[in-house]
């Protein structure tokens, strides 16, 4: 059920113990929004805890209060909460966190693929990041945006806009970013942290580029990382942007094998709606940036994805 931001704020005011989460394969917007809300709610005197069911890239470990994020562990069956707050995703992408509580769900998101089925949802697809929504939610809650909260929110904005280069960057996005800087954000600190790569990641980029293939007359470009390669890498953040910029390429993708018969897919586009492709494969995202998981071996995942992209191109 769709609700207003004012109604979402009222539900947070009424709750006392809030479990906060976001999607697996968390990015800057997911982590930044959850940590920002956790701090705001605690300042209101509430019990608030972030759980995320995945390893989080090291670049985000610099965020204030990152060390307080918990991950569900085997045997942990319950977390005492009267509200489950899901940010930047729909409920089916939060992994084992869903098993920690049977509390009512409040879902806040900016992904056009989130239908809100079965939950109370505030969704604003036109904004660049969920952190934009959280900035406005802070105003509804009369919450102070401290330097730590601002840093978390700015990171989400920067990550989801490619540091304000992508087409989802609006005047309002830049205005909010400016206000966050006035609240104490150091943009150079965030950019340096997000851009930092280990030597293994640089070697991984070489491997990824060596795997580059073109499809459909050069309109589609893809990179492939197998399981042995992935075991050597801390992160593949930013890899796909290396081929997104190739002249003539409309859809760029990367498939990374994470486990046996488990391949994660990231897609970027200049024209094709890749959120529809991802949604058809059980994932989601934005019109120009989306992803999914294909539960097949790398070669089979490649075939499935390339066929799905081809169908989208034909349409």
């Amino acid at each position: 059920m769709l609700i207003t931001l004012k109604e979402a704020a009222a539900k947070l005011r009424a709750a006392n113990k809030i479990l906060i989460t976001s999607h697996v394969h968390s990015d800057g917007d997911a982590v930044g929004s959850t940590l920002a809300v956790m701090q705001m709610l605690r300042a209101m005197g509430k019990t608030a805890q972030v759980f995320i069911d995945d390893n989080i890239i090291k670049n985000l470990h610099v965020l204030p209060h990152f060390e307080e994020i918990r991950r569900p562990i085997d045997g942990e069956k319950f977390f005492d909460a009267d509200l489950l707050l899901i940010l930047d995703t729909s409920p089916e992408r939060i992994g084992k966190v869903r098993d920690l509580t049977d509390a009512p769900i409040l879902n806040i998101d900016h992904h056009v693929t989130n239908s809100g089925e079965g939950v109370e949802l505030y969704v604003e697809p036109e904004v660049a990041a969920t952190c934009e929504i959280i900035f406005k939610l802070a105003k509804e809650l009369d919450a102070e945006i401290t330097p730590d909260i601002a840093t978390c929110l700015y990171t989400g904005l920067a990550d989801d806009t490619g540091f304000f280069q992508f087409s989802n960057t609006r005047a309002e996005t830049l205005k909010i970013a400016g206000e966050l800087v006035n609240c104490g954000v150091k943009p150079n600190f965030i950019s340096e942290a997000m851009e930092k790569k280990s030597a293994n990641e640089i070697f991984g980029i070489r491997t990824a580029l060596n795997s580059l293939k073109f499809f459909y007359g050069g309109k589609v470009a893809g990179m492939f990382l197998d399981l042995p390669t992935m075991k050597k890498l801390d992160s593949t953040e930013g890899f796909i942007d290396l081929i997104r910029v190739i002249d003539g390429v409309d859809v760029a993708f990367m498939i990374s094998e994470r486990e046996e018969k488990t391949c994660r897919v990231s897609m970027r586009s200049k024209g094709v709606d890749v959120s529809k492709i991802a949604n058809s494969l059980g994932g989601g995202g934005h019109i120009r940036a989306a992803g999914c998981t294909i539960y097949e071996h790398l070669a089979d995942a490649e075939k499935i994805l390339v066929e799905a992209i081809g169908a989208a191109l034909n349409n």
Side-chain angles (χ1 to χ4, degrees), residues 201-219:
E201 287 174 79
I202 297 300
F203 289 127
I205 288 173
R206 181 178 65 183
T207 301
L209 290 175
N210 283 335
S211 74
L212 180 62
K213 295 181 185 179
F214 292 94
F215 307 88
Y216 304 111
K219 294 179 181 179

Side-chain angles (χ1 to χ4, degrees), residues 21-292:
T21 192
S22 189
H23 54 84
V24 297
H25 198 197
S26 292
D27 55 9
D29 194 25
V31 177
S33 60
T34 55
L35 287 176
V37 169
M38 182 185 77
Q39 294 172 73
M40 286 191 288
L41 292 173
R42 287 180 177 179
M44 294 168 65
K46 300 180 185 298
T47 299
Q49 178 62 53
V50 175
F51 278 85
I52 293 177
D53 187 22
D54 207 346
N55 293 320
I56 298 170
I57 60 171
K58 289 184 178 179
N59 305 67
L60 295 172
H61 291 201
V62 300
L63 289 182
H65 299 275
F66 174 85
E67 71 283 356
E68 296 185 52
I69 296 176
R70 292 168 61 182
R71 183 174 182 181
I73 57 176
D74 292 338
E76 187 171 21
K77 299 296 184 184
F78 189 74
F79 180 83
D80 184 21
D82 51 27
L83 185 69
L84 172 58
L85 175 61
I86 301 174
L87 301 177
D88 197 41
T89 190
S90 49
E92 63 268 16
R93 294 193 64 214
I94 65 173
K96 296 177 183 176
V97 176
R98 189 65 190 92
D99 300 329
L100 292 177
T101 182
D102 55 5
I105 294 174
L106 172 60
N107 192 185
I108 298 175
D109 194 10
H110 73 125
H111 292 97
V112 68
T113 52
N114 192 337
S115 66
E117 186 175 350
V119 301
E120 293 185 296
L121 169 69
Y122 177 78
V123 63
E124 200 172 342
E126 63 270 20
V127 304
T130 296
C131 281
E132 271 199 54
I133 301 174
I134 302 307
F135 177 84
K136 292 186 280 188
L137 178 66
K139 305 290 187 182
E140 289 285 349
L141 292 170
D142 295 319
E144 178 188 2
I145 299 181
T146 64
D148 281 356
I149 291 173
T151 296
C152 293
L153 294 177
Y154 184 92
T155 299
L157 288 184
D159 197 27
D160 261 21
T161 60
F163 284 88
F164 311 103
Q165 297 179 79
F166 296 163
S167 61
N168 60 349
T169 304
R170 305 168 303 129
E172 182 67 15
T173 310
L174 295 171
K175 180 182 176 182
I176 291 173
E179 291 192 46
L180 292 172
V181 172
N182 287 334
C183 290
V185 170
K186 294 180 172 59
N188 64 303
F189 170 78
I190 299 302
S191 62
E192 288 167 10
M194 294 297 289
E195 292 171 354
K196 188 180 297 183
K197 296 189 183 301
S198 67
N200 280 341
E201 287 174 79
I202 297 300
F203 289 127
I205 288 173
R206 181 178 65 183
T207 301
L209 290 175
N210 283 335
S211 74
L212 180 62
K213 295 181 185 179
F214 292 94
F215 307 88
Y216 304 111
K219 294 179 181 179
V220 177
M223 296 190 299
F224 309 86
L225 294 169
D226 60 19
L227 187 56
T229 300
M230 286 302 301
K231 287 181 177 179
K232 299 175 185 177
L233 299 179
D234 298 321
S235 169
T236 59
E237 193 71 21
F239 282 25
I240 194 171
D241 294 319
L242 298 170
I243 62 172
R244 178 184 62 84
V245 298
I246 296 174
D247 188 25
V249 169
D250 187 356
V251 179
F253 70 83
M254 183 177 70
I255 304 179
S256 54
E257 195 172 28
R258 303 305 178 102
E259 298 175 13
E260 186 75 15
K261 296 190 73 173
T262 303
C263 294
R264 283 184 177 168
V265 174
S266 296
M267 290 181 283
R268 302 288 185 272
S269 82
K270 297 169 186 171
V272 171
D273 184 348
V274 290
S275 71
K276 291 182 178 178
I277 300 171
N279 195 45
S280 72
L281 298 172
H286 311 286
I287 293 173
R288 300 287 176 259
C292 62

